[in-house]
Amino acid sequence: MTTLQSIELRCPVCESAFRSQAVVSTNSFGGKRTDFHERAAGTQPLPYLIHTCAGCGYSGAERDFTEEADVSPVLKERVMSELAPVAMTGALTGSEKYEAAAKVAEWQSLEPRHVADLLLRAAWCCVDEGDIEAERYFRRKAAWKFEESLESYDGVQREERAVLTYLVGELWRRTGDTAKARTWFDRVDQEVDDLHGQQWVIDAARQQRECPREWFG
Ligand SMILES: [Zn+2]
């Protein structure tokens, strides 16, 4: 079961103190989808790994509400003009929280890889929220960001390239763009850097290209 706990946070943008729910422990007994979306038995932990300030909409993980947060005047301005109006309409869903966190990460000029991860999680939340249209929207945005990170010289660790190339293919497949998916699955072979350790990625790419499955295992 997923265990949640109430925590107290202080917003580095508008200084308001607020309470949020955080994940103490979770499980992966719900299986793993072929886009690496791990599901828990019981409550899904994802929406509780990102926190949103109800006052201004600033969003991020717990550490983004500590001294470590990189909050520039420009970031504050963008949060106030673009996120605050959304936050004022009421509590955000999991996918909306991740979308806000992805915007914050982008405004902080964080690596595309980091922004892509947040967008992917927004898509995963949409699956649980039953919003197919929004799910596709976030899958496309995540795919583009992962592509951007793969294109940059050191945006992705060598040993991660094959897995992320596979993931981009799988994201396109799940948006219904089989031609694009195939192009990316076909590239996985060349990106493998440890044939023994990454044979599973080659197998997964072949599987998803020829006879796709929704779940691993
Ligand atoms: Zn705030």
Side-chain angles (χ1 to χ4, degrees):
M1 294 298 113
T2 299
T3 312
L4 301 175
Q5 172 191 294
S6 176
I7 55 167
E8 188 139 357
L9 298 171
R10 178 168 289 276
C11 175
V13 170
C14 73
E15 304 294 331
S16 47
F18 66 101
R19 300 196 74 84
S20 189
Q21 297 268 85
V23 177
V24 179
S25 67
T26 187
N27 66 82
S28 54
F29 299 147
K32 195 199 266 186
R33 285 201 166 90
T34 44
D35 64 348
F36 306 119
H37 181 189
E38 267 189 352
R39 307 229 44 260
T43 306
Q44 299 307 314
L46 272 176
Y48 306 101
L49 296 170
I50 290 288
H51 310 282
T52 294
C53 168
C56 72
Y58 172 81
S59 302
E62 211 172 321
R63 69 173 175 281
D64 297 308
F65 289 86
T66 64
E67 315 262 284
E68 282 172 52
D70 173 20
V71 177
S72 67
V74 176
L75 175 72
K76 281 191 186 184
E77 206 181 288
R78 298 206 70 169
V79 168
M80 285 310 192
S81 66
E82 294 177 49
L83 298 183
V86 183
M88 262 176 240
T89 63
L92 303 190
T93 61
S95 58
E96 289 169 330
K97 285 158 71 179
Y98 278 95
E99 182 179 30
K103 285 184 177 163
V104 168
E106 201 136 32
W107 296 334
Q108 288 170 325
S109 306
L110 296 185
E111 296 282 324
R113 168 69 208 276
H114 181 78
V115 178
D117 273 329
L118 292 167
L119 292 167
L120 175 61
R121 280 162 178 74
W124 290 347
C125 285
C126 289
V127 174
D128 296 328
E129 292 159 11
D131 189 341
I132 294 168
E133 208 169 310
E135 178 199 331
R136 290 202 173 141
Y137 168 80
F138 286 120
R139 287 195 187 285
R140 276 195 294 274
K141 291 196 73 157
W144 284 322
K145 274 289 160 194
F146 279 120
E147 289 176 12
E148 198 182 317
S149 69
L150 283 162
E151 279 157 19
S152 67
Y153 173 67
D154 54 1
V156 172
Q157 304 271 318
R158 185 74 201 86
E159 61 272 21
E160 276 190 322
R161 291 192 65 88
V163 176
L164 290 188
T165 301
Y166 161 80
L167 178 58
V168 171
E170 180 61 12
L171 285 171
W172 286 122
R173 188 188 75 78
R174 284 176 182 258
T175 63
D177 194 332
T178 36
K180 247 187 191 159
R182 172 170 287 274
T183 311
W184 284 88
F185 288 141
D186 284 345
R187 274 185 212 169
V188 168
D189 286 22
Q190 311 148 29
E191 295 288 1
V192 163
D193 109 293
D194 161 19
L195 197 53
H196 181 68
Q198 294 183 321
Q199 184 59 46
W200 72 271
V201 192
I202 297 175
D203 295 342
R206 187 177 303 133
Q207 170 82 51
Q208 295 310 88
R209 195 175 50 211
E210 277 150 32
C211 185
R213 286 164 34 173
E214 296 302 306
W215 299 85
F216 280 124

